[in-house]
Amino acid sequence: MLVLLILHLVAALVAPLLVRRWGPRACYPLAAAPAAAVGWAIAHTGAVRHGGAVVETYPWIAQLQLDVALRVTTLSWLMMLLVGGVGALVLVYSARYFHTGSIGLARYASIMVAFAGAMIGLVVSDDLLLLYVFWELTTVFSYLLIGHSTERRSSRWAAVQALTITTLGGLAMLVGFLLLGQHAGSYRWSVITAVPPPTGGYLVLAVLLVLAGALAKSAVFPFNAWLPVAMAAPTPVSAYLHAAAMVKAGVFLIGLLGPALAPVGPWRPVTVVAGLITLVAGGWAALRQTDLKLLLAYGTVSQLGLLTVVLGAGTPQAALAGVAMLLAHALFKAALFLVVGLLDHSAGGRDLRELSGLGRSAPVLATVAALAAASMAGLPPLLGFVAKEALLAAFTDQPLVLAVLVAGTALTVAYSIRFVWGAFASRPGVPTTDLTRPPAAMLVPPALLAVAGLAAGPAAGWIGGLLDPYAARFGPVEEHLALWHGPTAALGLSAVAVAGGVALHLVRGPLAPALSRLRFPVSGNQGYEWVTHRFDWLAIEVTGATQRGALPQYLGTILLSLVLVPGMVMLTTRPWRVGLAVWDSPVQLVVCVVIAVAALIAVGARRRLTAMLLVGVTGYGTAMMFVLYGAPDLALTQFLVETATIAVFVLVLRRLPERFSARPLRRSRWVRRTIGLATGLVVAGLTLAAAGARRFPSISLAFPDLAVAQGYGRNVVNVTLVDIRAWDTMGELSVLVVTATGVASLIFERSRTGPRPRRPRPAAPRRDGPTVWLRGGNTLHARRRSIVFEVVTRLIFHTVLLLSLFLLFSGHNAPGGGFTGGLVAGLALTVRYLAGGRYELAEAAPVGAGTVLGAGLGVAVGGGALGLLLTGDVLQSVKVDFWLPLVGHAYVVTSLFFDIGVYLVVVGLMLDILRSLGAEVDRHVEAAGEPARGLAVQPEGGPEVSP
C-alpha cells in the first residue's frame, strides 16, 4: 500500500514534465497510477473476502504515537477499486477532453493524480490522525481542482466555498478523533474498537464532532450548499470528485465507524434525519434544473443523503444495502457526468432546453446514458435495482423512514427520466442539435462504467459474497444480495417508486409552478453568504476597534496582558526559588550596570539614532555576559547579530525623522515607563520561576556526548543546530525566507526579480586620472564618498569573505558555523554597499537574493535527504572518512551540507535586506528629490547635485 502512495506521488511530480512533452496525451501513462491501485485490490481479494485484513505499519513520529498504519478491509477494498478504477478512466477521458495548450493542463494532471493518491491513503489509513492528514490533503487538492479555471470568478468562489465548509468540518472531526484516541490510548481505529467506549457526554460530543466532519465532506444537510456550486469545475473533475471520490469520503467514514459508534445515542438520529432531508431536498431541486450538470449535482446530493441513511442505520441489512449502493452510485453517476462532458464537448452545450434529437444522431452515447440512468432510477436488471431493493427491505420495520425513502426514490426516477429525455429526446420547436463524432477515448470510459453496472446486476449474488463480511460486523446477515427475491414488499415499494417517478415526469408541465415555488425559504448558498458576510462585518468592526495604526498601543496591550495575567499568577503563587547567587564575578555586575544604564538612557533619548545605538549597547553587553559565562559561540553570534541589526536600523532610519515626535504627553510617558518596568520585573520573575521549576535533569546534559558520538563534532552549539535540533533549524530557515520575502514586498514597487542596477560602463580611464578603488564608488555624489572608506573596503572585503568561509567550515569543532559565517559575509556586503552604493552592491553580488535564498533552502533540504538515503533518518549526520595525498586521513560530516544551506540563507537574507531597505530606498530617495537622505547616484554626464 505504501508503494501505491509513493507511486502516486512520483506520478504527480512528473506529470508537468510529461504534459509539457506530450500535451493531453500524458494523461494516458498517468492513468497507470490509479490503475495500479485496482490491480493491487484485485490481487488481495482473497485476503479480505472472508473478513480478513491486509495490514502494513511503518514507524513515523514515535513521540506522537503516530505510525503510517495502513489497513484494508472489505469497505476500504471496495473504495480502492472505485477510487482507482474511476480515477484511471477519468484520466483516459481527460486525454481527449482537454486540447493541446489548454491553460493549466499540467497543474490539472498533477493535482488529479495527487488527489487519487490522497484518496487511496484516506481509505486505507488505520490511524485516525493519518486519516485526517489525507482527509485535508483531499480538501486542498479538491480546492485546486474546483478552481481550475482561475480566470472565472465563479470557479474561485466555488473553490473557496468548498474549502471553507469542508475544512471547518474537518477541524471538528479532528477534535472528535482526539477525544476518541485519548480515551483509548491509541489513535489506531482497530485498537479503539477493541477498547470499551467512554460513557456519557464525552462519547456523545466525540460522535457529534466526527459526524460534523463526515456530513460536511459529503455535502449532507446542513452542509449541502457547496456541491452544486462546485460544478464550476471541469466535468472530469466532477465525474471523479463528486461521484466516486471526495464526496464519498464522508459516507465512507460513516461506514467505517458505524460498527462501533452506531449504538451511541445521537448517531442514528443525526445520520437518518440529515440523510432523509438531503435525499428529498436534493431530489426536488434536481427536478427544477435545466443544466444537465446541475441536475446531476443535485441528484448527487440526494444520493449522498440516501447513502448516509443506509450506512448510518447500524443494521446488517442496511449496511449491506449501503455498500451495494455505494458501488452502484459510483458506476452510474461517474458515467453520467462523463456523458454530460461529452455532450458539452461535442454538442457545444448542456442546457436541456436547447438539446434535441441527439438520441438519433448519437445512438451509442444515448444507450450508455440510458443504461446509467436506469441504474440510477433502480430499474432491473442493473445493480442500482439490486441496491435499491435491498435498502427498502432493510427499513420495512420503520414505516416513517420507509415512506420518505420511497418518496426520495420516486424523485430519483423522475430526474433520471428528465436527464435522458432532456439530453436525447427530440422536441418540437427545437432545432436538431449538431453533434461532432465523439472520440473513442471519451466514449469508452462512460460505456465501461455503464456496462459494469449492467453486468453487476445479474452477478449480485457473487458481489454480495464479497461485501457480506462488512455487513457481518453489525450482526448476522439474514438476506443476501440477489437480482430476484420473489414478490416481496420491497419489490412492491420499488414498483410504486418507479410509477411515482414516471407520473412526476408526465405532469412536469403543470408541476412547473409548484416546483418553482416549493423550496426552502433560505437556500444553502444564501445561508453560506449570510454567515460569511456576518464574519466579514465582525472582522471589520473588531479591526476598526482594535487596529488603530499605533504600534505603541499594540505593544502596550500585549505587555499589559503579560503583566496582569502571568504576573498576577506569579505574585500569588511565588514559584521562584530562594538562595540565588547574585553574580559569579564582579565583572558581571559591571556589565549588568552598563546594560541597565544604557537601557535607561535609551528611554529618554530624543534622537532615533542615539536610542538605537544605546539599545545596541545593551545587546553588546549581553554578548559580554556570554563571554563571562564561557560561551564564546553564543557571544560571537550575539555580537554579529547586534552589528547586523544596527546596520539594518541605520538603513531604516534614513526614511524616518531625525528626532522622536514631541508626543506622547508627560503622563503617557510615565505610563509607558511603568509598563516597561513592570514587564521587565515579570519577565525576570518568570525566568527565575522557570529555572526553579525543573523536576527532572535537563536533556541538554547529554548534548556534549551526543555531539561527539552522533554529530561527530565538539562544538555543541553548532552540532545542536545542524543535527540534534536540526528540525528546529529547518523551520527557522523557512521563517528567514518568509521574512526576506515580506521585507522585499513592503519596499519594492516593482518585481525584485527584474534586472539589478548595473554600473554605467564609462570609457577607458586615462592613465593620469584618479585611482578607482571601488567600481561603483564613482557613481555616488562626491560628498557621499569617502576615499578612506573605499580603500579599507577594497582591502578587507575578500579577507572578510574568507573569514566567513573559515567560520562555516570550522564551526563543527570550534566557534562558528553556517549562521555565524553567513552573518560575517552579510556584513561584508553591507560594508561594500555603504562604501559604494547600490551599483557597488550589484558588482559585489551579481546574483538575485531570491536565488541565494532558494539555493540555501534547497541545499539544507538536500542535506537532510542525504541523511535519509544513508541512514534512513532525515537530517541524521553521517561521517565519511577518506584519504588525501599529502594530507592523510580526513573526514567530512554530512551535516556540513545542511550548514552550507544555513550559510546561504543568511547571506540571501542580508542581500535581500540590502537590496530592499538599501538600494531600493535609495531609488525612492532619488525619485523624491532628497539626495541628502541616501546614497544618491551622480547623474551620468550631469552636474553634481548638492545634498
Side-chain angles (χ1 to χ4, degrees):
M1 287 178 277
L2 183 62
V3 174
L4 291 175
L5 300 179
I6 295 175
L7 174 63
H8 281 81
L9 174 61
V10 172
L13 293 176
V14 302
L17 300 177
L18 297 180
V19 171
R20 185 177 303 173
R21 182 175 181 84
W22 295 330
R25 291 178 300 169
C27 292
Y28 292 133
L30 292 176
V38 178
W40 187 95
I42 293 175
H44 290 80
T45 302
V48 300
R49 69 178 304 165
H50 298 298
V54 181
V55 179
E56 293 181 12
T57 304
Y58 305 92
W60 188 13
I61 306 177
Q63 292 83 351
L64 298 179
Q65 301 179 2
L66 181 58
D67 298 328
V68 181
L70 310 176
R71 181 183 176 88
V72 172
T73 57
T74 302
L75 182 61
S76 49
W77 170 84
L78 174 63
M79 285 296 297
M80 283 189 71
L81 287 174
L82 296 180
V83 171
V86 177
L89 292 176
V90 167
L91 282 170
V92 171
Y93 179 92
S94 300
R96 296 305 300 271
Y97 180 85
F98 291 98
H99 303 285
T100 302
S102 296
I103 298 176
L105 178 59
R107 181 179 69 249
Y108 164 84
S110 178
I111 298 173
M112 198 70 159
V113 177
F115 177 86
M119 271 301 302
I120 291 174
L122 188 155
V123 300
V124 303
S125 295
D126 187 35
D127 191 289
L128 294 181
L129 296 182
L130 182 64
L131 187 150
Y132 174 75
V133 171
F134 286 115
W135 185 281
E136 290 305 314
L137 283 176
T138 62
T139 296
V140 174
F141 291 144
S142 67
Y143 163 77
L144 297 173
L145 289 170
I146 294 171
H148 173 76
S149 302
T150 55
E151 71 281 1
R152 293 166 48 195
R153 184 179 182 276
S154 59
S155 294
R156 299 194 301 270
W157 172 265
V160 171
Q161 183 174 349
L163 178 70
T164 302
I165 294 176
T166 54
T167 299
L168 291 176
L171 291 174
M173 181 191 72
L174 174 62
V175 177
F177 284 170
L178 293 175
L179 292 175
L180 294 174
Q182 285 297 311
H183 170 78
S186 172
Y187 290 100
R188 296 182 64 167
W189 182 243
S190 56
V191 175
I192 294 175
T193 55
V195 177
T199 58
Y202 186 96
L203 182 58
V204 170
L205 177 61
V207 166
L208 290 176
L209 291 171
V210 171
L211 285 178
L215 298 181
K217 195 75 164 182
S218 288
V220 176
F221 180 85
F223 309 106
N224 54 305
W226 68 266
L227 181 54
V229 180
M231 292 302 108
T235 302
V237 173
S238 301
Y240 192 36
L241 272 65
H242 306 138
M246 177 182 172
V247 294
K248 289 294 198 307
V251 293
F252 163 78
L253 184 64
I254 293 174
L256 177 69
L257 308 185
L261 299 182
V264 179
W267 181 274
R268 288 191 178 97
V270 170
T271 55
V272 172
V273 173
L276 291 177
I277 294 175
T278 307
L279 169 66
V280 176
W284 187 259
L287 293 178
R288 299 199 304 266
Q289 307 307 315
T290 57
D291 186 319
L292 292 175
K293 195 174 180 183
L294 277 179
L295 187 153
L296 292 179
Y298 282 101
T300 300
V301 171
S302 178
Q303 295 287 303
L304 290 170
L306 180 63
L307 287 169
T308 302
V309 172
V310 292
L311 288 174
T315 64
Q317 297 307 131
L320 183 59
V323 289
M325 181 58 73
L326 190 70
L327 173 60
H329 179 265
L331 296 177
F332 65 67
K333 192 56 65 71
L336 291 173
F337 269 118
L338 295 179
V339 167
V340 170
L342 205 153
L343 289 174
D344 200 9
H345 185 274
S346 301
R350 56 178 190 249
D351 191 326
L352 59 82
R353 295 169 298 184
E354 301 174 358
L355 299 175
S356 178
L358 292 179
R360 294 181 179 178
S361 58
V364 176
L365 182 61
T367 302
V368 170
L371 282 175
S375 184
M376 181 165 65
L379 300 181
L382 291 103
L383 181 60
F385 167 76
V386 176
K388 181 184 67 173
E389 189 178 24
L391 72 90
L392 292 175
F395 290 92
T396 52
D397 58 340
Q398 302 179 47
L400 182 58
V401 175
L402 186 62
V404 180
L405 288 176
V406 172
T409 305
L411 292 173
T412 304
V413 174
Y415 65 70
S416 300
I417 299 174
R418 179 177 176 82
F419 177 88
V420 177
W421 168 81
F424 299 99
S426 298
R427 288 187 293 282
V430 179
T432 301
T433 304
D434 294 329
L435 181 74
T436 59
R437 183 181 180 85
M442 295 183 69
L443 185 58
V444 170
L448 288 177
L449 293 169
V451 171
L454 174 63
W462 178 76
I463 294 175
L466 297 175
L467 303 180
D468 279 345
Y470 169 73
R473 299 180 61 190
F474 293 87
V477 180
E478 298 177 357
E479 189 172 331
H480 302 279
L481 293 180
L483 181 61
W484 176 250
H485 287 286
T488 61
L491 180 63
L493 292 172
S494 180
V496 170
V498 171
V502 173
L504 283 173
H505 178 71
L506 293 177
V507 298
R508 62 186 180 278
L511 194 63
L515 285 172
S516 61
R517 291 193 301 268
L518 188 58
R519 62 180 68 187
F520 282 106
V522 178
S523 68
N525 282 328
Q526 290 173 331
Y528 171 79
E529 292 179 5
W530 184 88
V531 171
T532 54
H533 288 165
R534 295 286 78 74
F535 271 110
D536 290 342
W537 172 84
L538 180 63
I540 292 172
E541 292 297 321
V542 171
T543 302
T546 59
Q547 304 295 314
R548 297 292 186 179
L551 289 177
Q553 177 182 340
Y554 304 154
L555 187 60
T557 302
I558 296 171
L559 296 180
L560 194 59
S561 301
L562 174 67
V563 171
L564 293 178
V565 181
M568 295 304 296
V569 173
M570 184 181 63
L571 287 176
T572 304
T573 58
R574 299 182 181 181
W576 49 79
R577 66 183 183 182
V578 296
L580 293 175
V582 180
W583 65 75
D584 297 322
S585 169
V587 181
Q588 296 173 353
L589 178 61
V590 174
V591 174
C592 287
V593 170
V594 172
I595 293 174
V597 170
L600 290 174
I601 298 176
V603 171
R606 292 290 178 263
R607 294 176 180 270
R608 297 180 189 272
L609 183 59
T610 303
M612 182 269 296
L613 292 176
L614 289 169
V615 172
V617 171
T618 65
Y620 288 124
T622 304
M624 280 300 303
M625 293 297 293
F626 289 145
V627 172
L628 296 175
Y629 275 104
D633 209 321
L634 295 178
L636 177 61
T637 304
Q638 178 66 26
F639 276 120
L640 293 172
V641 168
E642 202 62 45
T643 305
T645 303
I646 291 176
V648 172
F649 267 115
V650 169
L651 297 177
V652 173
L653 290 181
R654 296 180 299 166
R655 299 295 288 166
L656 295 175
E658 180 181 353
R659 295 177 177 271
F660 289 108
S661 170
R663 300 176 62 191
L665 301 177
R666 179 173 300 179
R667 181 181 301 175
S668 61
R669 285 184 201 157
W670 283 107
V671 170
R672 299 182 186 197
R673 292 170 181 174
T674 302
I675 293 176
L677 180 60
T679 301
L681 292 174
V682 169
V683 171
L686 292 175
T687 303
L688 293 176
R694 186 178 300 281
R695 296 292 180 266
F696 299 96
S698 173
I699 60 173
S700 63
L701 297 177
F703 281 10
D705 294 333
L706 289 174
V708 176
Q710 297 186 8
Y712 308 102
R714 294 186 297 274
N715 184 351
V716 180
V717 175
N718 180 261
V719 174
T720 300
L721 292 175
V722 300
D723 185 285
I724 300 175
R725 302 291 295 272
W727 278 113
D728 292 348
T729 307
M730 182 68 76
E732 291 161 3
L733 292 181
S734 303
V735 171
L736 288 179
V737 173
V738 173
T739 302
T741 304
V743 169
S745 64
L746 290 173
I747 302 299
F748 276 84
E749 297 175 351
R750 54 187 175 173
S751 173
R752 62 170 173 166
T753 60
R756 290 173 292 283
R758 292 296 185 187
R759 179 182 59 83
R761 297 293 180 183
R766 295 178 303 173
R767 293 182 179 272
D768 57 349
T771 303
V772 177
W773 292 99
L774 294 179
R775 300 184 67 181
N778 57 2
T779 63
L780 294 178
H781 288 288
R783 293 194 178 185
R784 290 298 173 193
R785 295 184 63 185
S786 170
I787 299 301
V788 174
F789 194 12
E790 291 182 17
V791 172
V792 172
T793 301
R794 173 76 174 267
L795 294 175
I796 71 171
F797 177 74
H798 299 91
T799 304
V800 174
L801 286 183
L802 289 175
L803 174 62
S804 74
L805 294 175
F806 171 79
L807 292 172
L808 166 65
F809 289 104
S810 66
H812 212 59
N813 293 288
F819 187 77
T820 303
L823 285 173
V824 171
L827 289 174
L829 292 173
T830 303
V831 171
R832 191 83 176 262
Y833 161 74
L834 293 175
R838 66 179 185 270
Y839 289 104
E840 185 62 28
L841 178 64
E843 293 286 346
V847 63
T851 303
V852 180
L853 287 167
L857 198 58
V859 171
V861 173
L866 186 61
L868 177 64
L869 292 175
L870 297 177
T871 67
D873 293 328
V874 180
L875 296 172
Q876 176 63 47
S877 295
V878 178
K879 182 181 179 182
V880 180
D881 295 281
F882 54 92
W883 181 270
L884 288 177
L886 304 179
V887 176
H889 174 263
Y891 70 90
V892 64
V893 183
T894 55
S895 58
L896 172 64
F897 299 104
F898 184 81
D899 219 8
I900 293 174
V902 175
Y903 177 91
L904 291 174
V905 168
V906 175
V907 172
L909 173 64
M910 292 296 295
L911 184 59
D912 211 13
I913 290 175
L914 291 173
R915 288 236 169 96
S916 54
L917 297 179
E920 188 67 11
V921 169
D922 287 340
R923 195 179 66 84
H924 293 177
V925 168
E926 292 174 14
E930 302 174 346
R933 306 189 65 178
L935 296 177
V937 175
Q938 172 73 42
E940 184 178 5
E944 180 180 332
V945 180
S946 299

